[in-house]
Amino acid sequence: MTDVSARAFLDRLFTAAVAAAHPATCLPPALPPPPARGRLILLAAGKAAGSMLEVAEKHYLDELGFDPERLAGIGVARHGYGRPTRLLEMVEAGHPVPDAAGLAGAQKALDLAASATADDLVLVLLSGGASANWIAPALGVELDDKRALTRALLRSGANITEINTVRKHLSRIKGGRLAALAQPAKVVTLSISDVPGDDPAVIGSGPTVPDPTTLAEARDVLARYRIDPPPSIAVALRDPANESPKPGDAAFANSEYILIARPADSFVAAEKLAREAGVEPVLLGDNLEGEAREVAAAQAAKAQELKAAGKKAVLLSGGELTVTMRGQGRGGPNQEYALALAVALAGAPGIYAVAGDTDGTDGGGGDASDPAGAYVLPDTLARAKAAGLDPAAFLANNDSTSFFEPLGDLLNPGPTCTNVNDFRAVLVDE
């Protein structure tokens, strides 16, 4: 392949992975029948909240002719991820750092859940990003304190499971509390997974499922990463009233949870496309975790092995990598992975790569226009040298965006309105 055709092939892989997890594809077959008498209450949160509400409204109102007077609900998505809903309120809120819009949106969702009766169906449409979008601090905890803690956790290198362990014990909506509040209504959750292992207790911090983690474990996370929390949070994490409902709790007796899209589904789509193109897919896992630069070094070595063996193949991997911030630059895990991969490959011919977040934006910048990731081509380092860019210096400053931007090698799909985590493809083609 030429550089142009290789990059176009990587684009097709990324697009196929995203399409497999979009609500337009995965949501309609899973939507439950509406209630016979009561209201259908739609509560959506996360990066796919807008697209999930959009699809659900079309299904119930147009295809089933459901009475719009019996439809209620609200969706809260990341800024830039809202969709044009017809009847239901659509709120755009902060991510990954929560804001006042998320606070107000979460309160409306809590009020709707609390108003549900035994005749109602509470349909929760959940996707990655819900932890930040549904922000309902525990009593005594201020929004600014939660914002400060979120920033500290994101910079610490803690993984998503650890971060959500803390979040669930500082919330009135996470960790099963939404399902408990919606009793005696039936609660059905349709979820798009963005976490390694697809654990419902971690996706969106598990607002409708039992929480196996504890207050003590939340405190341990902060201690492990040497995070000194604001006083209100330290107090809340020692208050037994903030312990979350556990497995076996009666709050979940009338609750059902269905995963409608997983990272694995996106990789099935990418593998199919690769085989059709005559490229052997090699799946390294859809749930990888670890430091972005360390994973990049390991995958660069694997790509070199395939090249030495004369293979025409593509290494595929997903999951959620982390970046321990040491500098003050711009970027995210996918861009840092791509930069570290370029350094490790050192311009090896015949090896190309793309790394991107399937939600369309990478890392913690918080702007919907942020890049999703970056490409690596055999001439990346040569073009960088000609432009006076030192990759090692940019890597040391966690400034991958500023490295790839002048090269024209950023991946910029814009908001995809879904999220099944990272997608990485390393193409080896002699």
Side-chain angles (χ1 to χ4, degrees), residues 91-320:
V91 174
E92 294 189 4
H95 180 281
V97 179
D99 63 10
L103 187 70
Q107 187 57 55
K108 289 181 180 179
L110 287 169
D111 291 343
L112 281 166
S115 74
T117 71
D119 290 332
D120 296 334
L121 170 62
V122 177
L123 179 56
V124 178
L125 305 174
L126 197 64
S127 56
S131 293
N133 293 152
W134 264 350
I135 179 72
L139 294 178
V141 175
E142 297 296 326
L143 175 60
D144 284 347
D145 287 346
K146 287 200 76 170
R147 287 167 58 86
L149 180 66
T150 299
R151 291 191 183 97
L153 285 165
L154 290 170
R155 292 183 64 88
S156 72
N159 64 39
I160 189 63
T161 300
E162 293 169 321
I163 292 172
N164 285 358
T165 294
V166 177
R167 283 167 158 166
K168 285 186 284 188
H169 291 90
L170 296 169
S171 175
R172 291 177 290 114
I173 195 169
K174 300 176 176 69
R177 293 178 179 88
L178 181 63
L181 191 63
Q183 290 182 300
K186 180 172 179 58
V187 177
V188 175
T189 304
L190 302 181
S191 172
I192 297 175
S193 171
D194 71 323
V195 301
D198 307 322
D199 183 355
V202 180
I203 301 167
S205 297
T208 59
V209 295
D211 176 29
T213 70
T214 65
L215 279 165
E217 289 171 331
R219 295 192 298 269
D220 287 345
V221 170
L222 300 188
R224 187 177 312 130
Y225 292 98
R226 299 176 182 173
I227 296 172
D228 185 17
S232 71
I233 286 176
V235 170
L237 290 179
R238 295 191 178 279
D239 185 349
N242 290 325
E243 190 55 270
S244 48
K246 299 294 180 251
D249 194 298
F252 308 105
N254 201 24
S255 184
E256 182 180 4
Y257 194 102
I258 302 169
L259 277 170
I260 61 169
R262 306 165 301 149
D265 301 322
S266 290
F267 283 100
V268 168
E271 287 175 304
K272 180 176 183 292
L273 190 153
R275 291 192 185 96
E276 290 172 351
V279 179
E280 178 188 352
V282 180
L283 183 61
L284 301 178
D286 59 46
N287 60 352
L288 302 188
E289 297 181 273
E291 280 285 327
R293 60 183 69 188
E294 295 173 6
V295 173
Q299 294 194 358
K302 179 67 175 176
Q304 295 277 31
E305 290 174 10
L306 291 174
K307 182 184 174 217
K311 297 283 189 179
K312 184 174 183 177
V314 60
L315 297 172
L316 299 172
S317 66
E320 185 161 80

Side-chain angles (χ1 to χ4, degrees), residues 1-13 273-274 276-280 312-314 349-352 377-378 427-430:
M1 293 186 189
T2 65
D3 286 3
V4 172
S5 62
R7 181 162 166 165
F9 174 68
L10 294 172
D11 274 338
R12 293 200 305 274
L13 290 176
L273 190 153
E276 290 172 351
V279 179
E280 178 188 352
K312 184 174 183 177
V314 60
I351 302 179
Y352 313 80
L377 305 175
L427 172 65
V428 179
D429 180 21
E430 287 298 312

Side-chain angles (χ1 to χ4, degrees), residues 151 155 293 323-332 336 364-365 392-403:
R151 291 191 183 97
R155 292 183 64 88
R293 60 183 69 188
V323 172
T324 300
M325 293 294 291
R326 301 173 179 87
Q328 300 298 318
R330 298 179 298 146
E336 177 140 329
F394 282 90
L395 191 59
N397 194 36
N398 301 116
D399 199 14
S400 48
T401 299
S402 299
F403 176 83

